[in-house]
Amino acid sequence: MDLRFFRLRTVFYLAYALILTACLLYLRFPAEKIKLYCEKRVEYFLSDSDCSIARISYRFPFSVTFSNFQITRKVDERTSGFHLDHFTVTPDFSTFFRKFDIDGEIYDGSFFLKFEIDDAEKSFMLNGVSIQGLNTSKWVNDFNVLDRNVSGIAGISGNYQAMFSDPLAGTGKGELVLVDGVIELLQPVLSLSNLEFERITVEMTQEKEVLRFSAGEVSGNQVNAEFAGEMRTTLPLLNSIIQLTGHLTPKEEFLAAHPEEKLVVDQLVRRYKMPALPFKLGGSLRSPTFRFSM
């Protein structure tokens, strides 16, 4: 038997089967059934949440696109939401539908990740997560529970894994970069009610309910700062407890324009015997407190 002919015929039949399957999916794609199934599965894993998908469509040869994906839930009598403009799921056939590439748009930005299922461990993994150009003010407005303004353009990268039974209590690591924005402060710091920044970077690791921050840096026209710490997450998220320590350095231009604050800074510099002022931030995420302290 000519083995080359056998291999060629096998490849031909395989290609024929894939093309036929793709054509049948295109002609008879059960969009409504898949939409209802996905909505119910999301609501099952994220209890007390409502999920809606405006439309699901098939993309040749084997991708599926979800449009206007929305998750909402009630938090303190408010409607808190999370929205994806659209995203596309493409399976990796070599893994028998255990790995998927997912890319789409989120709050004016774009994202990509690899989603992997481990049936034996009943867990999932998000690898190669990359979010670029996310508009944080739009996300904060949708989230609708912070009671303060936050703006800027965010980029996030990292990995995450968790059990299906508890998807929010997993392990992971990543980096957050936030540029050209403003954070409204609940209490003034050196007379500042808003922290204007050019760039914020922080490395993050999560181990179940503990989210740790390291190598945090803030640079801006008013102040620079460095920080580290952790947040013990819980639901609702605003009840999470945060503890940060760091050092804050006011800019000379800011002190020159605020002579009363310069007197306060000079006193703190003499007290702590260092040019960068030590600080602590603690309490709940809803109402954290800031103080200068070793």
Side-chain angles (χ1 to χ4, degrees):
M1 179 182 293
D2 190 339
L3 294 179
R4 288 177 298 178
F5 175 75
F6 179 78
R7 294 194 194 98
L8 182 61
R9 187 173 62 179
T10 301
V11 171
F12 172 78
Y13 283 145
L14 179 60
Y16 174 77
L18 290 174
I19 293 173
L20 180 62
T21 301
C23 292
L24 289 174
L25 282 172
Y26 179 78
L27 294 172
R28 302 181 62 83
F29 184 68
E32 190 61 28
K33 291 182 178 179
I34 293 177
K35 184 174 84 73
L36 291 174
Y37 173 80
C38 291
E39 289 173 343
K40 295 303 181 184
R41 295 305 290 175
V42 171
E43 292 173 353
Y44 172 78
F45 287 119
L46 300 178
S47 58
D48 301 324
S49 297
D50 294 318
C51 176
S52 65
I53 304 169
R55 186 168 63 93
I56 294 180
S57 56
Y58 169 74
R59 264 178 52 180
F60 187 88
F62 296 109
S63 297
V64 178
T65 296
F66 297 74
S67 301
N68 290 327
F69 177 91
Q70 180 86 23
I71 298 175
T72 58
R73 64 181 298 162
K74 287 289 186 180
V75 179
D76 294 338
E77 303 304 320
R78 298 183 183 183
T79 300
S80 178
F82 174 77
H83 179 260
L84 293 173
D85 295 327
H86 68 83
F87 64 94
T88 299
V89 180
T90 304
D92 180 349
F93 284 101
S94 66
T95 63
F96 298 99
F97 291 92
R98 290 197 299 270
K99 293 183 180 180
F100 304 82
D101 289 345
I102 304 176
D103 65 275
E105 295 183 359
I106 176 173
Y107 297 111
D108 294 341
S110 60
F111 73 93
F112 173 82
L113 60 90
K114 291 182 177 291
F115 179 76
E116 182 176 349
I117 298 172
D118 189 330
D119 293 322
E121 297 293 333
K122 299 187 185 315
S123 65
F124 68 91
M125 289 169 279
L126 307 179
N127 295 315
V129 176
S130 176
I131 302 175
Q132 301 296 328
L134 184 146
N135 186 324
T136 57
S137 62
K138 287 190 174 182
W139 172 76
V140 169
N141 288 338
D142 221 7
F143 190 49
N144 193 33
V145 292
L146 279 181
D147 286 330
R148 51 190 178 274
N149 295 321
V150 179
S151 66
I153 303 301
I156 303 170
S157 60
N159 304 293
Y160 182 79
Q161 63 181 37
M163 306 296 293
F164 279 117
S165 59
D166 198 355
L168 300 181
T171 61
K173 62 179 181 179
E175 181 183 47
L176 167 67
V177 178
L178 192 60
V179 298
D180 299 331
V182 177
I183 298 176
E184 182 180 357
L185 305 177
L186 292 180
Q187 61 182 110
V189 176
L190 297 178
S191 78
L192 294 174
S193 57
N194 293 284
L195 175 63
E196 299 178 6
F197 60 87
E198 296 174 351
R199 185 180 181 89
I200 297 176
T201 61
V202 60
E203 296 178 4
M204 303 173 292
T205 58
Q206 180 169 339
E207 185 68 35
K208 294 186 178 180
E209 290 82 15
V210 180
L211 180 62
R212 293 186 172 87
F213 308 100
S214 62
E217 294 183 357
V218 180
S219 60
N221 294 325
Q222 302 158 322
V223 299
N224 289 340
E226 56 183 30
F227 64 92
E230 66 179 35
M231 180 172 70
R232 295 188 174 273
T233 60
T234 186
L235 291 178
L237 185 62
L238 289 184
N239 291 340
S240 300
I241 301 300
I242 189 168
Q243 294 180 325
L244 298 180
T245 60
H247 293 84
L248 183 147
T249 306
K251 290 289 191 70
E252 291 296 333
E253 297 85 349
F254 169 77
L255 295 178
H258 298 80
E260 293 183 0
E261 300 306 320
K262 186 177 187 306
L263 293 176
V264 174
V265 169
D266 289 341
Q267 293 175 354
L268 292 172
V269 168
R270 288 193 295 270
R271 178 192 302 177
Y272 297 117
K273 297 180 174 59
M274 58 179 65
L277 307 178
F279 71 85
K280 293 182 178 180
L281 180 71
S284 70
L285 192 60
R286 184 190 308 275
S287 56
T289 57
F290 176 96
R291 71 182 188 275
F292 289 110
S293 175
M294 292 289 289

